[in-house]
Amino acid sequence: KMANETLKAQLGNAAWKLFHTILARYPEKPSLREQATLGQYLYSFAQVYPCGDCARHFQELLTKYPPQVKSRKTAALWGCHMHNKVNERLGKDEYDCTTILTDYDCGCGGDEKEQDE
Ligand code: FAD
């Protein structure tokens, strides 16, 4: 069995990948319903994340920095800043958020009627 730290890091990599990809694919102009859905998803994510300490800390961060769900850009930047808060706590480097939308292109652009690059 792999060391617990390795498993926790792999879980973190996978979780952050999905987290940032969802935010980078969120509508540019979300409806009120879409805004509510994303907000609920993020609070639920923080509650079900299966590392107790991580979940607790992330819930505190959500209270301090509520999700910015008004547009794709604000949501993706908010997510990047949240991850940076976790990076800071863990002594990791700060990530440059200026290219966050293209960093998390998922290759699913064809799924949408809007033209995505
Ligand atoms: P990760 O932090 O997993 O990042 C993966 C990749 O994402 C990086 O290689 C980089 O390419 C990119 N990236 C880095 N920063 C950003 C950013 N700001 N925006 C966008 N992309 C970025 N671990 C703990 O030990 N204690 C905790 O309390 C804890 N809390 C966590 C809370 C949450 C919600 C999550 C999802 C994970 C948490 N983790 C925690 C795990 C931790 O954040 C890392 O995933 C883990 O330490 C592995 O780190 P890593 O260096 O491989 O890169």
Side-chain angles (χ1 to χ4, degrees), residues 2 10-11 13-14 20-22 32 36-38 40 51-53 62 65 68 71 75 79 85 87 96 100-102 113:
M2 273 184 283
Q10 286 179 348
L11 173 67
N13 290 168
H20 293 300
T21 305
I22 285 173
L32 287 176
T37 300
L38 182 63
Q40 284 156 15
C51 147
D53 273 345
L62 276 176
Y65 307 102
Q68 304 292 306
S71 73
K85 288 284 170 198
N87 288 343
D96 177 2
I100 189 75
L101 290 178
T102 48
K113 51 185 184 298

Side-chain angles (χ1 to χ4, degrees), residues 46-106:
Q47 284 193 296
V48 301
Y49 193 74
C51 147
D53 273 345
C54 311
R56 215 169 3 264
H57 177 247
F58 202 67
Q59 286 171 51
E60 286 169 17
L61 280 179
L62 276 176
T63 304
K64 206 165 165 190
Y65 307 102
Q68 304 292 306
V69 298
K70 292 251 180 259
S71 73
R72 172 182 294 180
K73 198 168 180 186
T74 57
L77 280 175
W78 169 85
C80 191
H81 292 136
M82 291 290 276
H83 191 167
N84 272 337
K85 288 284 170 198
V86 174
N87 288 343
E88 188 184 346
R89 179 163 180 261
L90 301 178
K92 294 178 192 284
D93 289 345
E94 184 177 332
Y95 186 87
D96 177 2
C97 294
T98 54
T99 55
I100 189 75
L101 290 178
T102 48
D103 292 349
Y104 289 90
D105 179 2
C106 63

Side-chain angles (χ1 to χ4, degrees), residues 2-17 49:
M2 273 184 283
N4 283 337
E5 284 308 311
T6 307
L7 294 167
K8 197 155 111 174
Q10 286 179 348
L11 173 67
N13 290 168
W16 285 125
K17 174 87 177 174
Y49 193 74

